[in-house]
Amino acid sequence: MADGSSQKGTAIHSNSAIALVDSWLAAWSGVERLGSAAAKLYPTRDVKDGWRLPLTFPTGQRRIDILIGQGFPFAIPRLVLVDRPSHLTWPHVEDDGSLCLLPNGTPVSFNDPIKLLKKLLAEAVQLIDTAESGGNVDDFRLEFLSYWPKHSGAPFVRSLLSPQGPSRPVAAHTVTDVVTVADDAETLARWLNHTSAGRPTGRKRIHPALLVWLEQPMLPAEYPVTAGDVADRVRNAGLADAFEALLAKKPPRIVIVFGAPTPDGPVFAGLLLVPQPNGRGKAPPSGGAERGFRPGKIPAELLARRIVGARRVFKTSVERIDAAWIHGRDCDPDLAVLRAANVVLVGCGSLGGPVATGLAQAGVGRLQLIDPEVLHASNVGRHPLGNSFIGTAKAPQLAARIREDYPHIVLCDGFKNCWESVAAKKPSILAEADLIVSTVGEWAPEAALNAWRHHAGNHPDMLFGWTEPHAVAGHAVGLVGGRGCLACGLSEYGEPLLPVASWPKGAGRRSEPGCGVMYQPYGPTELSHVSATIVEAAVDILTKRSRVPFHRIWVAREDVLARAGAVWSDGWLETHDAAPHGARLEERGWNERHGCPVCGGA
């Protein structure tokens, strides 16, 4: 009943708004109400009603349709230019005449539909005036991706290419209707090896392709129409020899990517040269290009002309999947450092799993994951690995999942071992790390790892992260610049000297009905703040923003502590006498402690 009333109210609101617009336009001369005919005129649009009105421009009169959608007044009306030149003559005019007036995300008020329509009409008049004078033709270059056409049935192209010149031969991989391109076969093979699409025979399908780098994007009048047009572009880019060598192999598809810089970043466009079908809709045999010559004796230039002449152009879009685009759309100043970083993560459980994923999403190029345990059903609710991975080793499976989800990563390996075993069998794993992150959350292995670091010659940067019971607080301790010791801030039993919470009714841990099986019943919501704190701390260490030992503490809201049965610890209250005590992230130094059993406080 409530749903029906809500829908009725919305309909009344919409009808009232349409009545307002109708009344306002009644004062205009020559306005025509489209009514239900609007939907028939524009069958691919969400159209409920509309009006057609004439507007006068220096070149004469043009008609504009105002289209109202089902969501009006909360959906912005669409304006369509009825009297228009052919498509791609003017920018910002779609093939059905729809005008692109307001960029996505433009704030508008839906309280006054007349005011909104006035704004849209003013934008439309300005657009048409500018287009008639040719004053916005460069918008075709600035917004190139909106205008480059895609032919029906053309394969989709994904690009790992470095988005810059010069023009050069590149590598491509084709499978069904998807083409992936990269700067070289090695980069492409690594990407394929990280994906299910590339296994087990995908790398055998790698073939040559070309990147033509232009000084600026093409205008629509410059778009290549024939294979000969494409060949001219390729030769003008200095790739004649590579193009002819490619043609000589008579591939079923020739993949060419055009790239160019714009003020808003580089753009790519793709096309394929495919054989012209014969009268029966099939591609002609490839040997026909050498007719009149003995096999292998036709001049390369003549063979190239014949092969090109027998091909047609398929234009297609290109989606970037390179690291610079995936991580920040070319705007992440930290990416170069993170991409070159080598991070070892010890512990891939409920905290380490999200941390590993977060580091990969941040752009860390090399991840090596260490954990001796398998995934249990009780882990699934707060772990990146789901039900299908129960009973499998966490570290190798998580590494495989990261490679699959982020195949541009340089390296991601997993080891089903404790860290001591990895250090003994493959000492270079830890020794060559730029950062070692431990999220084990158990004192014995972390005490050993801390001691190992203290006695290592180079004192590698290290980050320890853990949660307090029920994840009511989380800690990230960074030992950087050869300084710091984890034991300096912990008791001899591995307990923080300054815990956030205390537990009047117990330690906050629970046990399964089995011997010695303890757990904490928190979920991913509580955990997300802690894992984000640790990932951010890792990035700050890798980018050298943090170069002295530090201690970051995430504290949950006070009501979260209360529900878990915790209260603020005495030590926390002493140092936080002003409310609120929770829902905060704070940072303090991690200072040496005189008499520390590991480092002595030196």
Side-chain angles (χ1 to χ4, degrees):
M1 187 69 176
D3 291 342
S5 300
S6 174
Q7 292 175 1
K8 183 178 180 181
T10 302
I12 292 173
H13 197 169
S14 178
N15 291 336
S16 299
I18 291 174
L20 283 174
V21 176
D22 204 33
S23 177
W24 174 62
L25 290 176
W28 290 49
S29 176
V31 174
E32 174 187 354
R33 177 76 177 269
L34 297 177
S36 60
K40 296 179 181 178
L41 288 171
Y42 302 97
T44 62
R45 303 286 185 181
D46 172 26
V47 180
K48 175 182 179 181
D49 207 332
W51 299 263
R52 177 166 292 178
L53 60 153
L55 296 177
T56 301
F57 294 89
T59 58
Q61 193 176 81
R62 296 183 187 274
R63 294 168 296 170
I64 285 184
D65 286 350
I66 300 175
L67 305 180
I68 300 299
Q70 299 294 332
F72 184 74
F74 301 107
I76 298 176
R78 183 175 296 276
L79 271 58
V80 178
L81 180 59
V82 180
D83 305 302
R84 60 187 183 271
S86 59
H87 186 225
L88 296 182
T89 300
W90 290 353
H92 312 297
V93 182
E94 298 183 28
D95 55 357
D96 66 352
S98 181
L99 302 179
C100 302
L101 298 176
L102 300 179
N104 290 337
T106 300
V108 298
S109 171
F110 300 107
N111 296 329
D112 187 344
I114 305 302
K115 182 179 179 181
L116 177 57
L117 270 176
K118 287 179 178 179
K119 176 179 177 62
L120 291 172
L121 285 168
E123 294 277 345
V125 169
Q126 182 179 2
L127 170 61
I128 295 168
D129 275 336
T130 307
E132 285 184 331
S133 66
N136 59 358
V137 67
D138 275 348
D139 288 359
F140 278 123
R141 301 190 198 275
L142 294 173
E143 302 177 11
F144 176 79
L145 295 179
S146 297
Y147 301 106
W148 179 260
K150 180 182 178 182
H151 288 143
S152 176
F156 177 66
V157 177
R158 301 179 298 192
S159 170
L160 291 161
L161 296 168
S162 176
Q164 59 189 9
S167 299
R168 56 194 183 270
V170 295
H173 171 268
T174 302
V175 56
T176 59
D177 58 350
V178 177
V179 178
T180 307
V181 292
D183 287 312
D184 52 68
E186 180 182 359
T187 301
L188 186 52
R190 182 177 64 230
W191 190 93
L192 292 168
N193 191 52
H194 289 171
T195 68
S196 57
R199 297 188 296 267
T201 60
R203 283 179 288 177
K204 295 180 180 178
R205 299 179 181 178
I206 293 178
H207 54 86
L210 300 175
L211 170 65
V212 176
W213 191 259
L214 307 172
E215 292 183 359
Q216 59 183 349
M218 293 175 278
L219 294 173
E222 299 169 337
Y223 295 169
V225 176
T226 68
D229 296 337
V230 177
D232 290 340
R233 283 279 184 180
V234 170
R235 293 187 178 105
N236 291 338
L239 295 174
D241 290 346
F243 186 50
E244 291 176 3
L246 184 55
L247 290 170
K249 296 180 180 179
K250 308 184 189 71
R253 293 173 173 174
I254 297 175
V255 178
I256 298 172
V257 175
F258 290 98
T262 77
D264 294 324
V267 294
F268 287 117
L271 58 79
L272 293 89
L273 298 181
V274 299
Q276 293 275 13
N278 57 25
R280 296 183 297 277
K282 297 181 179 180
S286 59
E290 297 188 45
R291 63 186 182 280
F293 293 85
R294 283 181 287 178
K297 298 298 183 181
I298 185 172
E301 185 177 347
L302 176 59
L303 177 62
R305 284 202 305 270
R306 287 185 175 182
I307 294 176
V308 166
R311 300 219 167 204
R312 57 176 173 161
V313 177
F314 259 18
K315 295 185 180 73
T316 186
S317 59
V318 176
E319 182 172 13
R320 287 180 59 185
I321 56 172
D322 58 286
W325 186 252
I326 294 293
H327 302 290
R329 302 189 186 191
D330 288 331
C331 297
D332 186 351
D334 297 331
L335 183 60
V337 172
L338 295 176
R339 183 84 171 147
N342 179 17
V343 175
V344 172
L345 176 66
V346 181
C348 298
S350 59
L351 182 58
V355 168
T357 302
L359 291 171
Q361 291 175 323
V364 171
R366 291 172 172 80
L367 279 173
Q368 307 203 64
L369 314 180
I370 300 173
D371 193 306
E373 296 183 352
V374 299
L375 187 75
H376 297 287
S378 57
N379 306 138
V380 169
R382 57 189 190 189
H383 198 279
L385 297 177
N387 182 74
S388 60
F389 294 93
I390 291 175
T392 64
K394 294 179 183 177
Q397 293 295 344
L398 184 58
R401 174 71 175 271
I402 289 173
R403 292 193 302 269
E404 182 78 35
D405 289 346
Y406 313 101
H408 57 279
I409 198 168
V410 179
L411 172 73
C412 188
D413 285 336
F415 302 90
K416 186 182 181 297
N417 299 99
C418 60
W419 77 265
E420 296 92 337
S421 176
V422 173
K425 296 178 181 178
K426 297 183 177 181
S428 62
I429 298 292
L430 271 69
E432 296 176 1
D434 297 304
L435 174 65
I436 300 171
V437 181
S438 176
T439 56
V440 176
E442 294 182 12
W443 178 225
E446 292 196 322
L449 187 59
N450 178 62
W452 173 88
R453 175 185 181 271
H454 180 70
H455 295 292
N458 60 342
H459 300 307
D461 287 347
M462 194 169 288
L463 177 66
F464 290 89
W466 69 91
T467 68
E468 292 192 25
H470 293 251
V472 298
H475 300 260
V477 172
L479 310 179
V480 293
R483 298 171 55 192
C485 166
L486 180 65
C488 284
L490 305 178
S491 73
E492 60 181 310
Y493 303 105
E495 299 165 333
L497 297 179
L498 181 61
V500 171
S502 65
W503 303 84
K505 298 180 181 180
R509 302 183 71 186
R510 299 184 180 181
S511 62
E512 293 183 9
C515 182
V517 182
M518 306 296 293
Y519 70 96
Q520 297 180 24
Y522 58 79
T525 304
E526 302 94 323
L527 196 62
S528 61
H529 304 287
V530 184
S531 61
T533 298
I534 296 169
V535 171
E536 183 181 35
V539 170
D540 286 345
I541 294 173
L542 292 169
T543 56
K544 310 298 183 186
R545 285 194 284 266
S546 294
R547 295 313 300 156
V548 294
F550 63 85
H551 182 196
R552 294 183 187 173
I553 309 170
W554 161 258
V555 188
R557 300 189 317 275
E558 191 163 13
D559 66 307
V560 174
L561 270 75
R563 290 200 307 269
V567 297
W568 303 115
S569 70
D570 292 340
W572 189 258
L573 289 173
E574 288 175 6
T575 56
H576 298 80
D577 55 359
H581 301 301
R584 63 188 295 172
L585 175 67
E586 68 173 62
E587 180 169 347
R588 57 181 64 196
W590 187 262
N591 301 317
E592 295 92 344
R593 175 165 58 94
H594 181 70
C596 170
V598 176
C599 70

